[in-house]
Amino acid sequence: MSGFGDEFLWGTATSSHQVEGAQHNDWTDWEAQPGRIHDGTRSGDAAGWWGGEAEKDLARAAALGTNAHRMSLEWSRLEPAPGRFDPRAFERYRAILGAGRAAGLRMLVTLNHFTLPRWAARGGSWLDRELPERFALYARRCAEELGEHVDLWATLNEPAVLAFMGYLGDDWPPGVGDPRAAFRAIAAQLEAHARASAALRAVTVAPVGLVLNLPFFEPARPRHPLDRLAAKGQDWAFSGAKLAAVEDGLLRLPLPPRRVPGLAGSVDWLGLNYYGRYAVRFDPRAPAQAFGRRVQEGSVKTEHNDWGEPCARGMAAQLRRMGRLGVPLMVTENGMYDPSDTRRPGFLRDHVEAVRQVRREGVDVRGYFVWSLVDNFEWAEGWMTPFGLFGLDRETQERTRRASADAYAALIAEGA
Ligand code: IFM
């Protein structure tokens, strides 16, 4: 599979709460509430990264032929109380980032991947008007302490997903369950991103990005005008409004449009997290979902969550659309949970092929990161949805290299 060149980033991805273990943040408290995690588990020691497994996993990643890794920093560790930073936590991240670099990986670091410090949760989470500025101060400190070990920064991960799960819905903390709160949470996160971007740029030269999850919405009946409208509506609410805001700084949800200060021009690159396609059918009983209901067969899903139907064509479409913003792109997450590991190798091949295709068309995609390097704590799903190229035995912390790890290594070898 040619067409990638030497500079292309072949990576894997993880996030702090999902792999580190031993956390003290808003999710720790959420997990302790009965019924919040569907399989009754907790993140616990997770994949043991804080205790020393990170270095070994990064070496495993490099052994596949990857040249990059995406990870996140845990805000609650680095700033356990407002304005009080923990030098030991910075030291541990320096060790992890240094190990990644020593293994030949370029390190893409997300400042915040969903979890908040307890003090921020007590203050109202993303509904606290002060939080965007606090986030910018945290960003600046991270850049000062860790900047020399970081190749690419991302500010936030999937602001819309967090707003839908934790503010519109109550599946994730803070569990608000109010559409107005969801709009406020999105606006606050975009403002936080913009402020953090300025703070990072003041200290480091590493490019700064934002990571968006953009599923592919299509009308279930392609020619049906109402299905088309409903699919468009869902796409706009979930993806289009955010992309447009990043482009011109105007958040158009809800109306009237509001300018998010500093947002226009705040990204040097943009990340796409992509999992699948939703086929949307008009449903007059679903006003809150833009009058649409998802009806596709073949979704990767559990009783509670639906990652959509694997559809590499949809990822290509989203990359073309993002390409219009004129900044370099990365696929910052792509993968599937597949306990038998029989479908994932083909899934990865199809999606890498989609990246190759759009690059050939001139879309500036610079990297592809598989979610995930190792099985990890999947939020409200707990441990029941293994996404890893490596399986994890949580009792022993032993890893099993899966067929999909071999498949990814082969794709990299072909591509490079
Ligand atoms: O595990 C998550 C990750 O934290 C954010 N993007 C989607 C992944 C799979 O659900």
Side-chain angles (χ1 to χ4, degrees), residues 18 113-114 157-158 273 275 307 333 371 378-379 387:
Q18 294 178 271
H113 191 117
F114 298 149
N157 181 69
E158 304 180 354
N273 290 357
Y275 289 87
W307 287 268
E333 287 181 23
W371 186 272
E378 178 56 32
W379 310 113
F387 273 88

Side-chain angles (χ1 to χ4, degrees), residues 233-305:
Q234 289 206 359
D235 174 73
W236 175 251
F238 203 88
S239 314
K242 262 72 68 188
L243 269 182
V246 171
E247 192 167 10
D248 64 9
L250 274 187
L251 185 56
R252 297 167 181 81
L253 254 187
L255 291 168
R258 271 163 308 153
R259 183 159 300 284
V260 181
L263 183 58
S266 64
V267 294
D268 302 317
W269 61 273
L270 208 50
L272 170 67
N273 290 357
Y274 180 83
Y275 289 87
R277 162 188 186 265
Y278 298 122
V280 183
R281 191 181 175 107
F282 174 71
D283 182 350
R285 289 156 304 175
Q289 283 84 43
F291 296 102
R293 192 166 35 93
R294 296 171 184 176
V295 293
Q296 78 275 8
E297 305 275 314
S299 254
V300 176
K301 66 178 179 184
T302 61
E303 195 187 327
H304 306 274
N305 209 352

